[in-house]
Amino acid sequence: MNSPIIYTSKYLRTTPETVRVAEALSVTLGRLNIEHRELVNTNDYWCRDYMPIKISDKGVYAKYNYSPDYLVDYKTKRQYITKQVDVCQELDIFAPIDLGIVFDGGNYVRCDDKVIMTDKIFMENPTWTARDLINHLSESLNADIILLPWDMKDICGHSDGMVSYLGDNRILLNSCWRNVDKPYYKRLLKILQPNFEIVEPVYGCKENIHSWCYLNYLQLSNALLLPVLSEKADCENDVAAIEYFEGLFPNLKVVPIYALPLIKKGGALHCVTWEYIEQK
């Protein structure tokens, strides 16, 4: 199998704050001998959301209609909608499946033969019955669909900020609700426990309001790029998170990447990257 190419959007270089993240990612990927390219024809840098989703490790992708309500419903934000067909036109992507529904790549966490997403998918596709939509997704994605309740304080309704797949039927569940919304956290556990072995991160210090960001890492074949809050990765939360992920991924090099400009906007490294297996 070809090694994945890591893409980021050229739009990530359009502000002084985010260009630092773009440059740090580019330099780090180069040092790790991971091929990095930039997407053109993009209108924002959250490329995970609008790029096709990978449904097979052989490089098979699925297309969809990217028109999220958190952009469509606001006139001033519609300019940030990236048309999937435009950004993909220069890539030879094998995408034989078109979901034909409103979808968002940030609401897609592939776990082998299962996919985790939030139930916001129903609100985004009101003409479908719940049963028909789930059956359609399951058949199209060749996976069992695990639905998590949408935390409506997060307007995006993304699952990739809630869980991350560790392999071998193990998932990492974000700890951000553990102390602030215990009933919601218990609901998540009740849904996930019958399907996965759950790993709950414990950082060993008082968590920052932005501590949710650590789960939004980018995992590579030889390293784990971890978003951090301080420029030198030396604040208490960053030090604790680095130590935790070094223990969780002992075979990978944990590389901290300062990502506070993204974190303040509600995302981190997983959100601004996209893996592509080139067909040769």
Side-chain angles (χ1 to χ4, degrees):
M1 184 181 71
N2 298 326
S3 298
I5 301 165
I6 302 301
Y7 276 88
T8 54
S9 167
K10 281 191 173 182
Y11 202 92
L12 195 60
R13 297 182 178 274
T14 57
T15 71
E17 295 80 13
T18 59
V19 71
R20 296 179 59 190
V21 182
E23 291 175 350
L25 281 170
S26 182
V27 169
T28 301
L29 291 169
R31 289 174 178 170
L32 294 169
N33 295 314
I34 301 294
E35 186 171 359
H36 170 239
R37 300 178 189 173
E38 291 188 326
L39 298 164
V40 297
N41 298 321
T42 61
N43 294 329
D44 75 21
Y45 43 69
W46 308 111
C47 58
R48 181 72 58 176
D49 298 343
Y50 51 74
M51 294 304 290
I53 53 174
K54 183 165 70 71
I55 61 175
S56 166
D57 287 338
K58 295 181 180 180
V60 180
Y61 293 80
K63 299 175 288 188
Y64 51 88
N65 176 15
Y66 176 69
S67 53
D69 63 329
Y70 54 83
L71 297 180
V72 172
D73 290 351
Y74 302 90
K75 288 184 178 181
T76 58
K77 294 184 178 181
R78 292 174 191 168
Q79 61 183 311
Y80 300 116
I81 298 175
T82 293
K83 292 184 179 179
Q84 192 177 92
V85 65
D86 290 344
V87 73
C88 292
Q89 65 183 357
E90 297 183 9
L91 303 176
D92 185 20
I93 299 177
F94 180 48
I97 295 172
D98 188 341
L99 296 180
I101 60 172
V102 175
F103 197 80
D104 191 322
N107 194 21
Y108 177 83
V109 177
R110 187 89 196 189
C111 309
D112 293 333
D113 61 350
K114 302 180 183 69
V115 166
I116 299 176
M117 62 182 65
T118 71
D119 56 15
K120 189 186 179 193
I121 192 73
F122 296 136
M123 186 273 288
E124 294 169 330
N125 296 278
T127 62
W128 289 73
T129 67
R131 177 179 295 181
D132 286 346
L133 183 56
I134 293 304
N135 287 341
H136 172 67
L137 285 166
S138 180
E139 181 179 349
S140 300
L141 302 175
N142 192 27
D144 293 330
I145 308 301
I146 309 298
L147 288 174
L148 299 181
W150 173 25
D151 175 12
M152 298 182 70
K153 293 187 291 295
D154 169 23
I155 62 170
C156 297
H158 289 172
S159 59
D160 72 344
M162 303 175 72
V163 295
S164 180
Y165 189 52
L166 299 173
D168 298 323
N169 212 45
R170 299 165 65 237
I171 61 168
L172 187 64
L173 174 61
N174 210 324
S175 59
C176 63
W177 301 281
R178 190 162 49 208
N179 297 321
V180 297
D181 194 342
K182 288 185 178 179
Y184 181 71
Y185 197 65
K186 288 180 179 179
R187 290 175 66 194
L188 297 179
L189 289 173
K190 186 176 182 180
I191 294 169
L192 293 169
Q193 283 175 334
N195 297 285
F196 303 98
E197 177 186 344
I198 299 175
V199 178
E200 301 178 67
V202 177
Y203 300 120
C205 65
K206 184 178 180 180
E207 294 187 19
N208 186 286
I209 59 169
H210 295 310
S211 290
W212 57 265
C213 75
Y214 299 122
L215 189 134
N216 202 260
Y217 55 77
L218 176 63
Q219 185 175 350
L220 306 169
S221 60
N222 57 353
L224 183 129
L225 306 191
L226 186 70
V228 294
L229 302 170
S230 54
E231 295 190 33
K232 296 182 179 180
D234 57 356
C235 72
E236 182 182 25
N237 292 94
D238 289 345
V239 171
I242 291 169
E243 181 179 358
Y244 176 80
F245 281 94
E246 286 177 339
L248 187 63
F249 294 93
N251 298 321
L252 297 178
K253 180 180 181 180
V254 175
V255 182
I257 302 286
Y258 176 64
L260 189 59
L262 299 177
I263 295 163
K264 288 181 176 180
K265 298 291 187 179
L269 301 184
H270 188 263
C271 296
V272 296
T273 54
W274 178 67
E275 303 91 354
Y276 175 45
I277 299 175
E278 194 171 38
Q279 298 297 300
K280 294 182 179 179

